Amino acid sequence: MTVDLEKVNSIIEKYRDDREAFIALLQDISAEYRYLPEEVIRYVSEEIEVPVSRLFSLATFYTSFRLEPRGEHEVQVCMGTACHVRGAPRMLDKVTQKLNIKPGETTEDKRFTVETVNCVGACALGPLLVYDGKYYGKLTQWKIEKLLEGSNDEDDQSS
Amino acid sequence: MVSITINGREIKTDQEDITLLQLARSEGIGIPTLCFHKALLPYGACRLCVVEVTGGQNTKIVNSCAYPVREDGISVQTNTPKLKQIRKNILEFLLARCPEIDMVKKMASGLGVKEKRLPEKSLPEDQTEECILCGLCVRVCGEVIGKEAISFVHRGAEREVAAPFYSQSKDCVGCTACHFVCPTGAIKVKESGNKRFISPWNTEITLVTCEMCGISFAPENSGEYLQAKLGLPAEWLKLCPQCRRKVAAETMGKYDFTSRNVILKK
Ligand code: FES
Ligand code: FES
């Protein structure tokens, strides 16, 4: 997959004077492409004259950086303590069964990426999942079913 | 001038920035270490070099490899029961991580670890963990070779050392310094024909051949870089170590060592 390096140039330009802001730079790239493409990382490393190994180290350290392309929709199931005791494992099972993938994977049709996260700070709403950045609390299997089938009517949304 | 006592012995130093470890060792007092190397900056990762430092009323446990000797009058103990216990615990963890590594086994039994209390790291059948994450390879590559071809990747239990994207690192100069400093032998170098393979980094390097005997020995593309960086002699790129030795021996042969004054024979 070839990526458009034009966009990267403007991001690099933004951090010209701040040579240490690698994380911010990677975050911007990640926001642009929704993952960190290998070619982009290699290109950036040449441009800012920083060894690739350093960028790769950062990119693998933080879970918010991904090196694989994401699906169209991101489903993050909270596995934090509060959600866990309120039944998060069953919710995760439901999601993974429904989409037929394991956490961390993307469906073959590239529509969904499923991940687990640890507490998103809305414990009172647990069990909970985050769907494309939106929080869906007090989950039930039925709500998950509806959500993933695309009929997420407004009533179901908490937060 | 700072004067301290180590294990009751009084030791003076006027070397600035000398660390407790260096001072102790220079006095012949042994302190075990794993992540320390004299060519590299202190790293403080393995914690094996812990010592007890007492100044006034307080005793604290510090890692001697990164502790500069600055306060006058402190007293240092290097082998109290508490320290022994700490070292033992560390080795137990290392042993659980790398049960197959001789050097770890030896060190563990040397420090009195008798039985395995911790469950071993679980890995697929055909794999063994050989890396203790001391970071020596990463640091020698960056600090001495000036390349940073490899780095720590991932974190927590998945932390490991790797080349970027687990593929041939374009920054690797094939010097094998990482292999040289590795205390466990986790980094393997194989040579066949004019190729050198450094296995955990998936790196393949082409070598130059010796002008005298035709053996392949030094990395091809980065020879000049290494020669300048490490201040190696010019023949380094032309002759393999054996031939260099031969040439040196021949040159030496021209000297008359029987006389105290070295005279060049014609
Ligand atoms: S545990 Fe799920 S939001 Fe806190
Ligand atoms: S040698 Fe001091 S912490 Fe490893």
Side-chain angles (χ1 to χ4, degrees), chain A residues 63-123:
Chain A
T63 35
S64 64
F65 292 137
R66 286 89 181 212
L67 294 161
E68 296 294 322
R70 333 249 58 227
E72 212 180 306
H73 299 287
E74 291 178 43
V75 185
Q76 291 156 333
V77 183
C78 180
M79 290 308 230
T81 314
C83 290
H84 190 97
V85 296
R86 288 164 182 240
R90 261 176 290 129
M91 299 303 137
L92 181 66
D93 283 350
K94 177 73 194 171
V95 173
T96 50
Q97 267 165 27
K98 177 94 187 138
L99 300 175
N100 201 15
I101 48 172
K102 289 206 268 309
E105 291 179 352
T106 301
T107 51
E108 229 158 77
D109 59 3
K110 299 267 177 283
R111 262 172 58 72
F112 297 97
T113 298
V114 174
E115 264 161 3
T116 57
V117 289
N118 295 314
C119 190
V120 292
C123 310

Side-chain angles (χ1 to χ4, degrees), chain B residues 243-262:
Chain B
C243 292
R244 240 178 289 150
R245 223 169 286 140
K246 228 191 278 163
V247 171
E250 272 159 25
T251 329
M252 299 285 260
K254 298 204 181 95
Y255 291 88
D256 182 2
F257 287 106
T258 49
S259 116
R260 295 302 295 283
N261 306 321
V262 177

Side-chain angles (χ1 to χ4, degrees), chain B residues 39-96:
Chain B
L40 302 172
L41 296 173
Y43 192 53
C46 72
R47 311 316 268 199
L48 267 188
C49 66
V50 282
V51 295
E52 280 182 22
V53 173
T54 312
Q57 297 293 309
N58 304 322
T59 299
K60 53 185 174 180
I61 292 177
V62 301
N63 45 336
S64 60
C65 69
Y67 195 87
V69 180
R70 290 207 189 111
E71 309 113 291
D72 208 34
I74 54 168
S75 90
V76 179
Q77 286 295 332
T78 64
N79 218 5
T80 62
K82 201 172 182 181
L83 296 171
K84 283 188 194 156
Q85 189 56 49
I86 293 176
R87 295 192 186 121
K88 242 172 108 172
N89 290 348
I90 295 170
L91 256 305
E92 280 187 75
F93 279 113
L94 288 176
L95 202 58

Side-chain angles (χ1 to χ4, degrees), chain B residues 15 38 74 84 174-175 194 260:
Chain B
Q15 252 177 283
K38 59 182 186 302
I74 54 168
K84 283 188 194 156
C175 67
N194 65 341
R260 295 302 295 283

Side-chain angles (χ1 to χ4, degrees), chain A residues 36-39 41-42 45-46 51-54 56-58 60-63 67, chain B residues 147-156 159 162-168 170-171:
Chain A
L36 298 174
E38 179 173 338
E39 328 165 40
I41 299 293
R42 290 192 184 275
S45 129
E46 301 259 303
V52 205
S53 66
R54 238 190 271 174
F56 186 62
S57 182
L58 285 173
T60 53
F61 186 88
Y62 295 102
T63 35
L67 294 161
Chain B
K147 276 303 186 187
E148 296 189 44
I150 48 174
S151 61
F152 279 111
V153 301
H154 298 287
R155 64 168 162 181
R159 189 164 153 97
F165 300 97
Y166 294 92
S167 56
Q168 167 118 13
K170 71 164 184 12
D171 293 321

Side-chain angles (χ1 to χ4, degrees), chain B residues 184-199:
Chain B
T184 64
I187 301 165
K188 308 220 172 16
V189 176
K190 267 192 220 101
E191 277 174 21
S192 87
N194 65 341
K195 297 278 185 230
R196 174 180 286 168
F197 305 93
I198 311 178
S199 70

